[in-house]
Amino acid sequence: MWPKGSRAGSWIQRGADSSGFLLLKTLSSLGDFAFFCRSFLQWTFRRPFRLGPFFHQLEFIGIRSLPVILLTSAFTGMVFSLQVGETFRLFHAESLVGATVGLSLAKEIAPVFTSLMVVARAGSAMAAEIGTMQVTEQVEALSSMAVNPIHYLVVPRVLAAMLMVPCLTAVYGFVGVTGAYFVSVHLLGIPEIAFTRRLTYYLDADDFIGGLLKSAVFGFVLALVCCYRGYRTTGGAEGVGRSTTQAVVVASVCVLVLDYFLTALIINFLPEF
Amino acid sequence: MIEIVDLHKSFNGQNVLRGINLTIQKGSIFVVLGGSGQGKTVLLKHLMGHLRPDRGRVVVHGVDINTLDEKGLNDFRKRFGMLFQSAALFDSLTVGENVAFPLREHTRLKEAEIQERVRERLRVVGLEEVTQKMPAELSGGMRKRVGLARAIALKPEIILYDEPTTGLDPITTDSINRLILEMQKKLPVTSVIISHDIESTFSIADRVAMLHEGKIIEQGTPAEFRRSTHPYVREFLKIGEQK
């Protein structure tokens, strides 16, 4: 169609080359990640169970994330109820503010925002710490001392994230609703009884369970992605920076994309969700 | 005894090792000399099974380490100690915890026994007083000595040294060389050192090999090595001795 060597032909050729390269690179990365996951699963159930690093990670991911979770959840609940309250006032439906905020927090906002906060605070630290260990030969030193780095570095982090992200999600939801209650009742003048009665009427166990299940999966995926990016770091300080950025971006996107599919799945299994 | 037979390794089409053949006797100090980027570290990584060869074998004490599965290789590595070029100390642990790390992982010693072993190993490298310090508080030479204390914590049969004297001043270099020799006297170990430090090499080596462009171009005792007629070895020795 285009003469050989023409400018258009050359552009198409270059475009095809770079698309092919990108496709191969993506497939290669996915394959490598699959092997990493397999290795993680193999080492998760092997002795010794590393309780020391596991409890350290519980503290790092859970306890040390509490301040940022408390702060963001309180203001999320407050601003949400402010917006919803003002809008619902137009339809004389202010009594539904509690239920709306509660349902949104339990089902979506708490699991997703908590996970994003954990990615930003703990996930970035995981990628940076493991990445630094990689480029300073500390990961290789572990292997040299007959300690599997995935067993020692990755397994405790991922398991701790799976456990702590749901706990933080529960805290996020509770504090968010408390913030919403404060704004609705004390600033918007919505009757307390209307707020709490509608909240408890519409919110049931399935909403909580669904949200917590999602957050456990988010915890697993975000920790695994961040550890993987750290583990594959090359290129010194610049490489650590690059890995950390990639870890935060990829883990955040994974959380948001997974949210849709998990919600669709949970709706099938928990009809009340 | 360590036998390396026809070892080949390439990365992205670039041949780094092109048929290495070496025999390292038990209890000896074997130094592999070579310029930067000649594949010395790649060779060392094959000895511990961190890299799998494209072709060839690495046989350590009669075991071809490439036939071992992940668990077997992990167990086999307990017989090795390795001193990294950067020392590779865990920077979140104190010096004492670094040296205690392999003991806590692989022995059932009581805490008091572990502490005693840590003190003893740090005494060997002359750093008993830094047990509670963090690696970031140590100088380069001290970090290497702590790395050595950690490498010998489990009483290994083979110690691998990755450029142990690179970047150190002459006095610290001398102290590291003396440590390697003392270690050889006190523990029945085989030492494999990769280096480009000619002076240190001739002061400690039982045998020396020269790695160039992925091949061993010369090997022998230090005296034999000095008499080499290979043009690259002659030039390497000439420039090295001028420094």
Side-chain angles (χ1 to χ4, degrees), chain A residues 117-159:
Chain A
M117 285 296 137
V118 173
V119 167
R121 205 200 72 81
S124 58
M126 288 179 202
E129 194 178 345
I130 297 176
T132 305
M133 289 183 76
Q134 187 68 267
V135 298
T136 54
E137 296 182 308
Q138 292 176 58
V139 171
E140 207 175 314
L142 277 173
S143 298
S144 305
M145 285 185 272
V147 175
N148 184 282
I150 289 182
H151 195 211
Y152 188 78
L153 297 172
V154 179
V155 171
R157 282 171 169 81
V158 176
L159 295 184

Side-chain angles (χ1 to χ4, degrees), chain B residues 152-217:
Chain B
I152 60 170
L154 279 178
K155 296 185 181 168
E157 297 164 35
I158 298 162
I159 306 181
L160 308 177
Y161 299 83
D162 187 357
E163 307 206 5
T165 55
T166 299
L168 300 179
D169 64 79
I171 295 171
T172 315
T173 298
D174 186 53
S175 76
I176 295 279
N177 288 339
R178 273 191 281 114
L179 264 177
I180 294 171
L181 287 170
E182 276 173 37
M183 211 77 67
Q184 205 71 15
K185 283 179 196 158
K186 287 180 184 170
L187 306 168
V189 293
T190 306
S191 297
V192 183
I193 303 168
I194 59 167
S195 178
H196 48 65
D197 180 348
I198 291 169
E199 206 179 321
S200 294
T201 299
F202 288 134
S203 66
I204 58 175
D206 293 319
R207 285 186 74 79
V208 185
M210 169 66 83
L211 182 63
H212 180 59
E213 292 178 346
K215 286 183 172 172
I216 297 294
I217 55 169

Side-chain angles (χ1 to χ4, degrees), chain B residues 102-119:
Chain B
L103 299 170
R104 293 208 169 102
E105 282 293 324
H106 301 303
T107 68
R108 289 170 185 253
L109 294 175
K110 291 182 182 140
E111 190 54 31
E113 292 171 311
I114 288 176
Q115 291 307 325
E116 181 47 40
R117 181 83 74 92
V118 168
R119 271 196 296 277

Side-chain angles (χ1 to χ4, degrees), chain A residues 32-47 49 148-152 154-156 158-159 162 220-221 224, chain B residues 70:
Chain A
D32 190 44
F33 184 64
F35 278 113
F36 183 81
C37 293
R38 189 187 70 170
S39 201
F40 164 80
L41 289 173
Q42 280 173 342
W43 282 99
T44 298
F45 303 102
R46 283 196 195 166
R47 287 174 186 274
F49 299 118
N148 184 282
I150 289 182
H151 195 211
Y152 188 78
V154 179
V155 171
V158 176
L159 295 184
M162 274 178 79
F220 172 77
V221 172
L224 205 58
Chain B
E70 204 177 353

